Amino acid sequence: MSHLTSPNCESNSTSTFPGQPGVLVVRKHHFLVRWSHWLNVPILLGLILSGISIYWASPVYQHKPDPNTGNVDVAVDIGIWICAHVPGQHHYSSPPDWIYNHMSLGPGMLALALRLHWLCAYLFMLNGVVYVAGLVKGGGWRALLPRRTDLLDALRMFRYYLGFPFTKLARRKWLHPVFNTQYNALQRAAYFSVPVAGLLSVATGWAIHKPMQFHWLAAFFGGYNAARVWHFWLMWVYILFVVPHVILVFADGWDTLRSMIVGWSTRAKRSEFVANEQ
Amino acid sequence: MNNEEKGDSLQGHDIPSTGVEPEVKSVSVKKPQSFFGERPLPAIEMAPRVLRYQSRRDFLVFGAGALAAVAVTGFLLPQDTLSRLGVRRNMDSPGKEWLLNKALRIDDDVAETLYTVNRRVPTYTKSQITPLKNNYNGSTPDPGYISGWKLSRSGSLRTVFGTRLRLLFAIGSGLQLPLRKA
């Protein structure tokens, strides 16, 4: 769709709508943004799986050695607890490894995981550049910038989401707050914070990997160990973002999902275009 | 999720086709208010056949990309992980080893290239030393645990420096692996 209207186009409308045939669509996502969006799925999966395998070798969260098992790793405790309490997991062969067997490449794979982690990390950095290029080229970056009204608008959206299930159950109408922007305040906060998290992940990753060369970077995050904690929790930012993101995309409908594949949306406001015509 | 759906929406299939299909045409775009101000999404009017063709093409590319991602993931995952997932076939190959090794050491190669004898590394006092916190009972195993392991050194001082860097790294990571597996 490279021959379509540029996002920065300020030309006057030439539409004959609604008198002529054709499908009215809006161009939502630049193809570089779409590509980088979908490439993030396997890359982030690879980073998380290999990252937890790396975590196994030197867990961030430890306690004093267990007198019976000698275990110090909190993740191992969680695995043992899951095998003891979750139905169907009582006969799991190695409860201490449950977390690592289900959420990583596996325990005892530090060297193999590090190789994959860095391959994915380079792809992640490259993909980030592609994403930013797509945002700049398509002009989509403006829609992600925070605004002064965001706090109030975010509260309105929170109220909407909180009330939505109850009104659905009561079969009452519950109106979505109206905004004149591409994204609502919560979406904007999420879509803005994820690239920032990506940047911080890369910075903390380098600080951990090269603490001698990048000692100033490690110091910026509070030292080597603190940089590891940052890196670990930044992973959770992605996970906590992805879960509601996927749920809301499916809840929103086919058009939203399709627009991230094909780039365009048929959700065009008739009134807006008619108004612009005049 | 998107606010636009909450407005007075116009679905593409609502528009009756009269047989005269236009090419892609700009419909309207509001004038931006400032450099940082959000621009309205550019609206275009497309012929249904063009839209269908482009959608089909994009979906095919997306599907091919998804299949490629699955294949690449299968290619790159460690054999132990694949075995745990039920993949019996040996997916190890020299190409895979080369790629993964290169990914890990490319920064060392760059460091070697940029190495200078005048560069000073930070030093630490004894009080800054912290105990090892790892899943190897707090110790770093000896490389001698790996049968057949050997280290060869050759080349210039710079290459030797790089070898030492990699050796230090290997002791800190890869050489610990067989302990767990034993």
Side-chain angles (χ1 to χ4, degrees), chain A residues 1 4-5 9 13-14 17 20-25 27-28 56-58 97 101 104-105 108-109 111 115 122 142 147 176 181-182 187 191 209-210 252 264 266 268-270 273, chain B residues 1-3 5-6 8 10-12 15 20 22 24-29 35 37-39 42-46 54-55 80-81 84 97 101 103 106-108 133-135 174 177 180:
Chain A
M1 289 166 69
L4 302 184
T5 315
C9 175
S13 167
T14 55
F17 175 84
Q20 281 195 2
V23 181
L24 188 65
V25 296
R27 193 181 172 197
K28 275 182 83 174
W56 171 88
S58 179
D97 292 335
N101 278 337
S104 76
L105 301 178
M109 287 196 181
R115 297 192 311 178
Y122 284 120
R142 293 185 178 91
R147 291 130 211 257
H176 190 287
T181 50
Q182 187 180 350
Q187 283 176 299
Y191 298 153
H209 188 56
K210 295 283 179 195
D252 198 42
W264 49 262
T266 54
K269 288 181 188 173
R270 179 199 295 265
F273 296 122
Chain B
M1 194 157 186
N2 199 315
N3 302 317
E5 68 167 321
K6 316 304 173 195
D8 179 13
L10 176 67
Q11 299 294 327
I15 303 169
V20 186
V24 179
K25 192 187 286 182
S26 167
V27 176
S28 66
V29 177
F35 179 72
E38 185 177 338
R39 269 73 161 161
I44 45 177
E45 196 175 347
M46 293 179 77
Q54 289 184 351
S55 301
D80 284 356
T81 308
R84 231 180 42 242
E97 291 301 305
N101 286 336
I106 193 166
D107 55 331
D108 280 343
K133 294 200 300 183
N134 61 20
N135 258 334
L177 178 67
R180 173 80 191 186

Coordinates of all heavy atoms in Angstrom, one line a residue, chain A residues 1 4-5 9 13-14 17 20-25 27-28 56-58 97 101 104-105 108-109 111 115 122 142 147 176 181-182 187 191 209-210 252 264 266 268-270 273, chain B residues 1-3 5-6 8 10-12 15 20 22 24-29 35 37-39 42-46 54-55 80-81 84 97 101 103 106-108 133-135 174 177 180:
Chain A
M1 N 0.8 -1.2 0.0 CA 0.0 0.0 0.0 C 0.9 1.3 0.0 O 0.5 2.3 0.6 CB -0.9 0.0 1.2 CG -2.0 -1.0 1.1 SD -2.8 -1.4 2.7 CE -3.7 0.1 2.9
L4 N -0.4 4.7 -1.2 CA -1.6 5.3 -0.6 C -1.1 6.7 0.0 O 0.0 7.1 0.0 CB -2.1 4.4 0.5 CG -2.5 3.1 0.0 CD1 -3.1 2.3 1.2 CD2 -3.5 3.2 -1.1
T5 N -2.1 7.3 0.5 CA -1.9 8.7 1.1 C -0.9 8.7 2.2 O -0.9 7.8 3.1 CB -3.3 9.2 1.7 OG1 -4.3 8.9 0.7 CG2 -3.2 10.7 2.0
C9 N 0.1 13.8 4.8 CA -0.6 14.5 3.7 C -1.6 15.5 4.3 O -2.3 15.2 5.2 CB -1.3 13.5 2.8 SG -2.3 14.3 1.6
S13 N -9.5 17.1 0.6 CA -10.2 15.9 0.2 C -10.6 16.0 -1.2 O -11.0 17.0 -1.8 CB -11.4 15.7 1.1 OG -12.2 14.7 0.6
T14 N -10.6 14.8 -1.9 CA -11.1 14.7 -3.3 C -12.1 13.7 -3.4 O -12.5 13.3 -4.4 CB -9.9 14.4 -4.2 OG1 -9.3 13.2 -3.7 CG2 -8.9 15.5 -4.3
F17 N -17.3 10.4 -1.9 CA -18.1 9.6 -1.0 C -19.3 10.4 -0.5 O -19.1 11.6 -0.2 CB -17.2 9.2 0.1 CG -17.9 8.5 1.2 CD1 -18.1 7.1 1.1 CD2 -18.4 9.1 2.3 CE1 -18.8 6.4 2.1 CE2 -19.1 8.5 3.3 CZ -19.3 7.1 3.2
Q20 N -19.9 7.6 -4.8 CA -19.2 6.6 -5.7 C -18.9 5.3 -4.9 O -18.9 5.3 -3.7 CB -17.9 7.3 -6.2 CG -18.2 8.2 -7.3 CD -16.9 8.6 -8.0 OE1 -15.8 8.1 -7.7 NE2 -17.0 9.4 -9.0
P21 N -18.7 4.3 -5.7 CA -18.4 3.0 -5.0 C -17.0 3.0 -4.5 O -16.2 3.9 -4.8 CB -18.5 2.0 -6.1 CG -18.2 2.8 -7.4 CD -18.7 4.2 -7.1
G22 N -16.7 2.0 -3.7 CA -15.3 1.8 -3.1 C -15.4 1.6 -1.6 O -16.5 1.8 -1.0
V23 N -14.4 1.2 -1.1 CA -14.4 0.9 0.4 C -13.6 2.0 1.1 O -12.4 2.2 0.7 CB -13.8 -0.5 0.6 CG1 -13.8 -0.8 2.1 CG2 -14.5 -1.6 -0.1
L24 N -14.2 2.6 2.0 CA -13.5 3.6 2.8 C -12.7 3.0 3.9 O -13.2 2.3 4.8 CB -14.5 4.6 3.4 CG -14.0 5.8 4.0 CD1 -13.3 6.7 3.0 CD2 -15.1 6.6 4.7
V25 N -11.4 3.2 3.9 CA -10.5 2.6 4.9 C -9.6 3.7 5.4 O -9.3 4.7 4.8 CB -9.7 1.4 4.4 CG1 -10.6 0.3 4.0 CG2 -8.8 1.8 3.3
R27 N -5.7 4.1 7.0 CA -4.4 3.4 7.1 C -3.9 3.6 8.5 O -3.6 4.7 9.0 CB -3.4 4.1 6.1 CG -2.2 3.3 5.9 CD -1.3 4.0 4.9 NE 0.0 3.4 4.8 CZ 1.1 4.0 4.3 NH1 1.0 5.2 3.9 NH2 2.2 3.3 4.3
K28 N -3.8 2.4 9.2 CA -3.5 2.5 10.7 C -2.0 2.3 11.0 O -1.4 3.0 11.8 CB -4.3 1.4 11.4 CG -5.7 1.9 11.8 CD -6.5 0.9 12.6 CE -6.1 0.9 14.0 NZ -7.0 -0.1 14.8
W56 N 18.3 -19.4 36.1 CA 18.5 -20.6 36.9 C 19.9 -20.7 37.5 O 20.1 -21.1 38.7 CB 18.2 -21.8 36.1 CG 18.6 -23.1 36.7 CD1 17.8 -23.9 37.6 CD2 19.9 -23.8 36.7 NE1 18.5 -24.9 38.0 CE2 19.8 -24.9 37.5 CE3 21.1 -23.5 36.0 CZ2 20.9 -25.8 37.7 CZ3 22.1 -24.4 36.2 CH2 22.0 -25.5 37.0
A57 N 20.9 -20.3 36.7 CA 22.3 -20.5 37.1 C 22.6 -19.6 38.3 O 23.4 -20.0 39.1 CB 23.2 -20.2 36.0
S58 N 22.0 -18.4 38.3 CA 22.3 -17.5 39.5 C 21.0 -16.7 39.8 O 20.9 -15.6 39.3 CB 23.4 -16.6 39.1 OG 23.7 -15.7 40.1
D97 N 12.5 -28.5 39.5 CA 12.7 -28.0 38.2 C 11.4 -27.6 37.4 O 11.5 -27.3 36.2 CB 13.5 -29.1 37.3 CG 14.9 -29.3 37.8 OD1 15.4 -28.3 38.4 OD2 15.4 -30.4 37.6
N101 N 11.4 -26.1 33.8 CA 11.0 -27.0 32.7 C 9.8 -26.5 32.0 O 9.6 -26.9 30.8 CB 10.7 -28.4 33.3 CG 12.0 -29.3 33.5 OD1 13.0 -29.0 32.9 ND2 11.9 -30.3 34.3
S104 N 11.2 -22.1 30.7 CA 12.5 -21.8 30.2 C 12.9 -22.9 29.3 O 12.2 -23.9 29.0 CB 13.5 -21.6 31.3 OG 13.9 -22.9 31.8
L105 N 14.1 -22.8 28.8 CA 14.7 -23.9 27.9 C 14.9 -25.1 28.8 O 15.0 -26.3 28.2 CB 16.0 -23.5 27.3 CG 15.9 -22.2 26.4 CD1 17.3 -21.9 25.8 CD2 14.9 -22.4 25.2
G108 N 20.1 -26.1 34.0 CA 21.5 -26.7 33.6 C 21.8 -26.4 32.2 O 22.5 -27.1 31.5
M109 N 21.3 -25.3 31.6 CA 21.6 -25.0 30.2 C 22.1 -23.5 30.1 O 21.8 -22.9 29.1 CB 20.3 -25.1 29.4 CG 19.8 -26.5 29.2 SD 18.6 -26.5 27.9 CE 18.2 -28.2 27.8
A111 N 25.0 -22.1 29.3 CA 25.8 -21.8 28.1 C 24.9 -21.8 26.8 O 25.0 -20.8 26.0 CB 27.0 -22.8 27.9
R115 N 23.7 -18.3 24.5 CA 23.9 -18.1 23.1 C 22.6 -17.7 22.4 O 22.5 -16.8 21.6 CB 24.4 -19.4 22.4 CG 25.8 -19.9 22.9 CD 26.3 -21.0 22.1 NE 25.4 -22.1 21.8 CZ 25.6 -23.1 21.1 NH1 26.8 -23.2 20.5 NH2 24.7 -24.1 20.9
Y122 N 20.2 -9.5 19.9 CA 20.6 -8.7 18.7 C 19.4 -8.5 17.7 O 19.2 -7.4 17.2 CB 21.7 -9.4 18.0 CG 23.1 -9.2 18.7 CD1 23.8 -10.3 19.1 CD2 23.6 -7.9 18.9 CE1 25.0 -10.1 19.7 CE2 24.8 -7.8 19.5 CZ 25.5 -8.9 20.0 OH 26.7 -8.7 20.6
R142 N 3.4 10.1 17.0 CA 2.6 11.2 17.6 C 1.5 10.6 18.4 O 1.1 11.2 19.5 CB 2.1 12.1 16.6 CG 3.2 12.9 15.8 CD 2.6 13.9 14.9 NE 3.6 14.7 14.2 CZ 4.2 14.3 13.1 NH1 3.8 13.2 12.5 NH2 5.1 15.1 12.6
R147 N 0.0 12.8 27.1 CA -0.6 14.1 27.1 C -1.0 14.5 28.5 O -1.0 13.7 29.4 CB -2.0 14.1 26.3 CG -1.7 14.0 24.8 CD -2.6 12.9 24.3 NE -2.0 12.2 23.2 CZ -2.3 12.4 21.9 NH1 -3.3 13.3 21.6 NH2 -1.7 11.8 21.0
H176 N -18.7 3.5 26.2 CA -17.3 3.7 26.2 C -17.0 5.2 26.1 O -17.6 5.9 25.4 CB -16.7 3.0 24.9 CG -15.3 2.9 24.8 ND1 -14.4 4.0 24.6 CD2 -14.4 1.8 24.9 CE1 -13.2 3.5 24.6 NE2 -13.2 2.2 24.8
T181 N -8.7 10.8 19.9 CA -7.4 10.3 19.6 C -7.4 8.9 19.1 O -8.4 8.2 19.4 CB -6.4 10.4 20.8 OG1 -7.1 9.8 21.9 CG2 -6.1 11.9 21.1
Q182 N -6.3 8.4 18.5 CA -6.3 7.1 18.0 C -6.4 6.1 19.1 O -7.0 5.0 19.0 CB -5.0 6.9 17.2 CG -4.9 5.5 16.5 CD -3.6 5.3 15.7 OE1 -2.9 6.3 15.5 NE2 -3.4 4.1 15.2
Q187 N -4.2 2.8 26.6 CA -3.5 2.2 25.5 C -2.2 3.0 25.2 O -1.2 2.4 25.0 CB -4.4 2.3 24.2 CG -5.5 1.3 24.1 CD -6.3 1.5 22.9 OE1 -6.9 2.6 22.7 NE2 -6.3 0.5 22.0
Y191 N 1.4 1.4 25.1 CA 2.2 1.4 23.9 C 3.4 2.3 24.0 O 4.4 2.1 23.3 CB 1.3 1.8 22.7 CG 0.1 0.9 22.4 CD1 -1.0 1.4 21.8 CD2 0.2 -0.4 22.8 CE1 -2.1 0.5 21.6 CE2 -0.9 -1.3 22.6 CZ -2.0 -0.8 22.0 OH -3.1 -1.7 21.8
H209 N 26.0 -8.0 30.9 CA 26.9 -8.8 30.1 C 28.3 -8.2 30.1 O 29.3 -9.0 30.0 CB 26.3 -8.8 28.6 CG 27.1 -9.8 27.8 ND1 27.2 -11.1 28.0 CD2 27.7 -9.6 26.6 CE1 27.9 -11.7 27.1 NE2 28.2 -10.8 26.2
K210 N 28.5 -6.9 30.1 CA 29.8 -6.3 30.1 C 30.0 -5.4 31.3 O 30.1 -4.2 31.1 CB 30.0 -5.6 28.8 CG 30.0 -6.4 27.5 CD 31.3 -7.1 27.4 CE 31.3 -8.0 26.2 NZ 32.4 -9.0 26.2
D252 N -11.9 -6.7 21.1 CA -12.2 -5.5 20.3 C -12.7 -6.0 18.9 O -13.5 -5.2 18.3 CB -11.0 -4.7 20.1 CG -11.3 -3.3 19.6 OD1 -12.3 -2.7 20.1 OD2 -10.7 -2.8 18.7
W264 N -4.7 -1.7 7.3 CA -5.8 -0.7 7.2 C -7.0 -1.2 8.0 O -7.1 -2.4 8.4 CB -6.3 -0.6 5.7 CG -6.5 -1.8 5.0 CD1 -5.6 -2.4 4.1 CD2 -7.6 -2.7 5.0 NE1 -6.1 -3.6 3.6 CE2 -7.4 -3.8 4.2 CE3 -8.8 -2.7 5.7 CZ2 -8.3 -4.8 4.0 CZ3 -9.8 -3.7 5.5 CH2 -9.5 -4.8 4.7
T266 N -11.4 -0.7 8.5 CA -12.6 -0.1 7.9 C -13.4 0.7 8.9 O -14.5 1.2 8.6 CB -13.5 -1.3 7.4 OG1 -13.7 -2.2 8.5 CG2 -12.9 -2.0 6.2
A268 N -13.9 3.7 9.8 CA -13.8 5.1 9.4 C -15.1 5.8 9.8 O -16.2 5.3 9.5 CB -13.5 5.2 7.9
K269 N -14.9 7.0 10.4 CA -16.1 7.7 10.8 C -16.7 8.5 9.7 O -16.0 9.4 9.1 CB -15.7 8.7 12.0 CG -15.4 8.0 13.3 CD -15.1 9.1 14.3 CE -14.6 8.5 15.6 NZ -14.1 9.5 16.5
R270 N -17.9 8.2 9.4 CA -18.6 8.8 8.3 C -18.7 10.3 8.6 O -18.4 11.2 7.7 CB -20.0 8.2 8.1 CG -20.8 8.9 7.0 CD -22.3 8.6 7.2 NE -22.6 7.1 7.1 CZ -23.0 6.6 6.0 NH1 -23.2 7.3 4.9 NH2 -23.2 5.3 6.0
F273 N -15.5 12.5 8.0 CA -15.2 12.7 6.6 C -16.1 13.7 5.9 O -15.7 14.5 5.2 CB -15.1 11.4 5.8 CG -14.0 10.5 6.4 CD1 -14.3 9.2 6.8 CD2 -12.7 11.0 6.4 CE1 -13.3 8.4 7.3 CE2 -11.7 10.2 6.9 CZ -12.0 8.9 7.4
Chain B
M1 N -11.3 -1.8 21.8 CA -9.9 -1.3 22.1 C -9.7 0.0 21.4 O -9.2 0.9 22.0 CB -8.9 -2.3 21.6 CG -7.5 -2.0 22.2 SD -6.6 -3.6 22.1 CE -5.2 -3.1 22.9
N2 N -10.1 0.1 20.2 CA -9.9 1.3 19.5 C -11.1 2.2 19.6 O -12.3 1.8 19.5 CB -9.7 1.0 18.0 CG -9.0 2.2 17.3 OD1 -9.5 3.3 17.5 ND2 -8.0 1.9 16.5
N3 N -10.9 3.5 19.8 CA -12.0 4.4 20.0 C -12.8 4.6 18.8 O -14.0 4.9 18.9 CB -11.5 5.8 20.4 CG -10.6 5.7 21.6 OD1 -11.0 5.0 22.5 ND2 -9.5 6.4 21.6
E5 N -14.2 2.7 16.8 CA -15.3 1.8 16.6 C -16.5 2.3 17.4 O -17.7 2.0 17.1 CB -15.0 0.4 17.2 CG -14.8 0.4 18.6 CD -14.9 -1.0 19.2 OE1 -15.6 -1.8 18.7 OE2 -14.1 -1.3 20.1
K6 N -16.2 3.2 18.4 CA -17.3 3.7 19.2 C -18.1 4.8 18.5 O -19.1 5.2 18.9 CB -16.8 4.2 20.5 CG -15.8 3.3 21.2 CD -16.3 1.9 21.4 CE -15.2 1.0 21.9 NZ -15.5 -0.4 21.8
D8 N -19.5 6.8 14.8 CA -20.4 6.4 13.8 C -19.6 5.7 12.7 O -19.0 6.3 11.8 CB -21.0 7.7 13.2 CG -22.0 7.5 12.1 OD1 -22.4 6.3 11.9 OD2 -22.3 8.4 11.4
L10 N -18.4 3.2 9.6 CA -18.8 2.8 8.3 C -18.0 1.6 7.9 O -16.8 1.7 7.6 CB -18.5 4.0 7.3 CG -18.8 3.7 5.8 CD1 -20.3 3.6 5.7 CD2 -18.2 4.8 5.0
Q11 N -18.6 0.5 7.8 CA -18.0 -0.7 7.4 C -17.9 -0.8 5.9 O -18.8 -0.3 5.2 CB -18.7 -1.9 7.9 CG -18.9 -2.0 9.4 CD -17.5 -2.2 10.1 OE1 -16.6 -2.9 9.5 NE2 -17.4 -1.6 11.2
G12 N -16.7 -1.3 5.4 CA -16.5 -1.3 4.0 C -17.5 -2.0 3.2 O -17.9 -1.6 2.2
I15 N -20.9 -0.5 1.6 CA -20.9 0.3 0.4 C -21.3 -0.5 -0.8 O -20.6 -1.5 -1.1 CB -19.6 1.0 0.2 CG1 -19.2 1.8 1.4 CG2 -19.6 1.9 -1.0 CD1 -17.8 2.3 1.4
V20 N -18.3 0.2 -11.2 CA -17.2 1.1 -11.6 C -16.3 1.3 -10.4 O -16.7 2.0 -9.4 CB -17.8 2.5 -12.0 CG1 -16.7 3.4 -12.5 CG2 -18.9 2.4 -13.0
P22 N -13.2 2.5 -8.4 CA -12.1 3.5 -8.5 C -10.8 2.9 -8.0 O -10.8 1.9 -7.3 CB -12.6 4.6 -7.5 CG -13.4 3.8 -6.5 CD -14.0 2.7 -7.2
V24 N -7.2 3.6 -5.8 CA -7.0 4.2 -4.4 C -7.1 5.7 -4.5 O -6.5 6.3 -5.4 CB -5.7 3.8 -3.9 CG1 -5.5 4.3 -2.5 CG2 -5.6 2.3 -3.9
K25 N -7.9 6.3 -3.6 CA -8.1 7.7 -3.6 C -8.1 8.3 -2.2 O -8.7 7.7 -1.3 CB -9.5 7.9 -4.3 CG -9.7 9.4 -4.6 CD -11.1 9.5 -5.1 CE -11.3 9.0 -6.5 NZ -12.7 9.2 -7.0
S26 N -7.4 9.4 -2.0 CA -7.4 10.1 -0.7 C -8.8 10.6 -0.5 O -9.4 11.2 -1.4 CB -6.4 11.2 -0.7 OG -6.6 12.0 0.4
V27 N -9.3 10.5 0.7 CA -10.6 11.0 1.1 C -10.5 12.3 1.8 O -10.9 13.3 1.4 CB -11.4 10.0 1.9 CG1 -12.7 10.5 2.3 CG2 -11.6 8.7 1.0
S28 N -9.8 12.3 3.0 CA -9.7 13.5 3.8 C -8.7 13.3 4.9 O -8.6 12.2 5.4 CB -11.0 13.9 4.4 OG -11.4 12.9 5.3
V29 N -8.0 14.3 5.2 CA -7.1 14.4 6.3 C -7.2 15.7 6.9 O -7.1 16.7 6.3 CB -5.7 14.1 5.8 CG1 -4.7 14.2 7.0 CG2 -5.6 12.7 5.2
F35 N 3.6 20.2 15.6 CA 4.5 19.1 15.2 C 4.3 17.9 16.0 O 4.3 16.8 15.5 CB 6.0 19.6 15.4 CG 7.0 18.5 15.0 CD1 7.2 18.2 13.7 CD2 7.7 17.9 16.0 CE1 8.1 17.2 13.3 CE2 8.6 16.9 15.7 CZ 8.8 16.6 14.3
G37 N 1.4 17.3 17.6 CA 0.0 17.0 17.6 C -0.3 15.7 16.8 O 0.3 15.5 15.7
E38 N -1.2 14.9 17.3 CA -1.6 13.7 16.6 C -2.3 14.0 15.3 O -3.3 14.8 15.3 CB -2.4 12.8 17.5 CG -2.8 11.5 16.9 CD -3.6 10.6 17.9 OE1 -3.5 10.9 19.1 OE2 -4.2 9.7 17.4
R39 N -1.9 13.4 14.2 CA -2.6 13.5 12.9 C -3.7 12.5 12.8 O -3.5 11.4 13.3 CB -1.7 13.3 11.8 CG -0.9 14.5 11.2 CD 0.1 14.9 12.2 NE 1.1 15.8 11.5 CZ 1.9 16.6 12.1 NH1 1.9 16.8 13.4 NH2 2.8 17.3 11.4
P42 N -4.9 8.7 7.9 CA -5.2 9.0 6.5 C -6.3 8.1 6.0 O -6.2 6.9 6.1 CB -3.9 8.9 5.8 CG -3.0 8.0 6.6 CD -3.5 8.2 8.1
A43 N -7.3 8.7 5.5 CA -8.4 7.9 4.9 C -8.3 7.8 3.4 O -7.9 8.7 2.8 CB -9.8 8.6 5.3
I44 N -8.6 6.6 3.0 CA -8.5 6.4 1.5 C -9.7 5.6 1.1 O -10.3 4.8 1.8 CB -7.2 5.6 1.1 CG1 -7.0 4.4 2.1 CG2 -6.0 6.5 1.1 CD1 -5.9 3.6 1.8
E45 N -10.1 5.8 -0.2 CA -11.2 5.0 -0.8 C -10.5 4.0 -1.7 O -9.8 4.4 -2.6 CB -12.1 6.0 -1.5 CG -13.4 5.4 -1.8 CD -14.3 6.4 -2.4 OE1 -14.0 7.6 -2.3 OE2 -15.4 6.0 -2.9
M46 N -10.8 2.8 -1.5 CA -10.1 1.7 -2.4 C -11.2 0.9 -3.1 O -12.3 0.6 -2.6 CB -9.3 0.8 -1.5 CG -8.1 1.5 -0.9 SD -7.1 0.4 0.1 CE -6.3 -0.5 -1.1
Q54 N -4.8 -7.0 -2.0 CA -3.8 -6.6 -1.0 C -3.9 -7.4 0.3 O -3.0 -7.7 1.0 CB -3.8 -5.1 -0.7 CG -3.3 -4.3 -1.9 CD -3.2 -2.8 -1.7 OE1 -3.7 -2.4 -0.7 NE2 -2.7 -2.1 -2.6
S55 N -5.2 -7.6 0.7 CA -5.4 -8.3 2.0 C -4.9 -9.8 1.8 O -4.3 -10.3 2.7 CB -6.9 -8.3 2.3 OG -7.3 -7.0 2.5
D80 N 18.1 -30.7 23.9 CA 17.5 -31.1 25.1 C 16.1 -30.6 25.3 O 15.1 -31.3 25.7 CB 18.3 -30.7 26.4 CG 19.5 -31.6 26.5 OD1 19.7 -32.6 25.7 OD2 20.4 -31.3 27.4
T81 N 15.9 -29.3 24.9 CA 14.6 -28.7 25.0 C 13.6 -29.3 24.0 O 12.5 -29.6 24.3 CB 14.7 -27.2 24.8 OG1 15.7 -26.6 25.6 CG2 13.4 -26.4 25.0
R84 N 12.5 -32.6 25.2 CA 11.4 -32.4 26.2 C 10.1 -32.1 25.6 O 9.0 -32.4 26.1 CB 11.8 -31.4 27.2 CG 11.8 -31.8 28.6 CD 12.1 -30.8 29.6 NE 11.7 -29.5 29.4 CZ 12.5 -28.4 29.3 NH1 13.8 -28.6 29.2 NH2 12.0 -27.2 29.1
E97 N 25.4 -24.2 15.2 CA 26.4 -24.0 16.2 C 27.2 -22.7 15.8 O 27.5 -21.9 16.7 CB 27.4 -25.2 16.2 CG 26.8 -26.4 16.8 CD 26.3 -26.2 18.3 OE1 27.1 -25.7 19.1 OE2 25.1 -26.4 18.5
N101 N 27.2 -19.5 18.3 CA 28.5 -19.1 18.8 C 28.9 -17.7 18.4 O 29.4 -16.9 19.2 CB 29.6 -20.1 18.4 CG 29.5 -21.4 19.1 OD1 28.9 -21.5 20.2 ND2 30.0 -22.5 18.6
A103 N 26.9 -15.3 17.6 CA 26.0 -14.3 18.3 C 26.6 -14.0 19.7 O 26.5 -12.9 20.2 CB 24.6 -14.9 18.5
I106 N 30.4 -12.2 19.2 CA 30.7 -11.0 18.3 C 31.1 -9.8 19.1 O 31.9 -9.0 18.6 CB 29.4 -10.8 17.4 CG1 29.8 -9.8 16.3 CG2 28.2 -10.3 18.2 CD1 28.8 -9.7 15.2
D107 N 30.5 -9.7 20.3 CA 30.9 -8.5 21.1 C 32.4 -8.6 21.6 O 33.1 -7.6 21.7 CB 30.0 -8.3 22.3 CG 29.9 -9.6 23.1 OD1 30.1 -10.7 22.6 OD2 29.6 -9.5 24.3
D108 N 32.8 -9.8 21.8 CA 34.2 -10.0 22.2 C 35.1 -9.7 21.0 O 36.2 -9.1 21.2 CB 34.5 -11.5 22.6 CG 34.1 -11.7 24.1 OD1 33.9 -10.7 24.8 OD2 33.9 -12.8 24.4
K133 N 26.4 -16.2 44.2 CA 25.1 -16.7 44.4 C 24.6 -17.5 43.1 O 24.3 -16.9 42.2 CB 24.1 -15.5 44.6 CG 24.4 -14.8 45.9 CD 23.2 -13.9 46.4 CE 22.8 -12.9 45.3 NZ 21.7 -12.0 45.8
N134 N 24.8 -18.7 43.2 CA 24.4 -19.5 42.0 C 23.8 -20.8 42.4 O 23.7 -21.2 43.6 CB 25.5 -19.7 41.0 CG 26.7 -20.4 41.6 OD1 26.5 -21.1 42.6 ND2 27.9 -20.3 41.1
N135 N 23.4 -21.6 41.4 CA 22.8 -22.9 41.6 C 23.8 -24.0 41.6 O 23.5 -25.2 41.3 CB 21.6 -23.1 40.6 CG 20.3 -22.9 41.2 OD1 20.1 -23.0 42.4 ND2 19.3 -22.6 40.4
G174 N 29.7 -21.7 30.5 CA 29.5 -23.0 29.7 C 30.1 -24.2 30.4 O 29.5 -25.3 30.4
L177 N 28.1 -26.4 32.8 CA 27.0 -27.2 32.3 C 27.1 -28.7 32.6 O 26.1 -29.3 33.2 CB 26.8 -27.0 30.8 CG 25.7 -27.7 30.1 CD1 24.4 -27.3 30.6 CD2 25.8 -27.5 28.6
R180 N 25.9 -30.4 36.0 CA 24.5 -30.6 36.3 C 24.0 -31.9 35.6 O 23.2 -32.6 36.1 CB 23.7 -29.4 35.7 CG 22.2 -29.5 35.8 CD 21.7 -29.3 37.1 NE 20.3 -29.6 37.2 CZ 19.5 -29.4 38.2 NH1 20.0 -28.9 39.3 NH2 18.3 -29.8 38.2

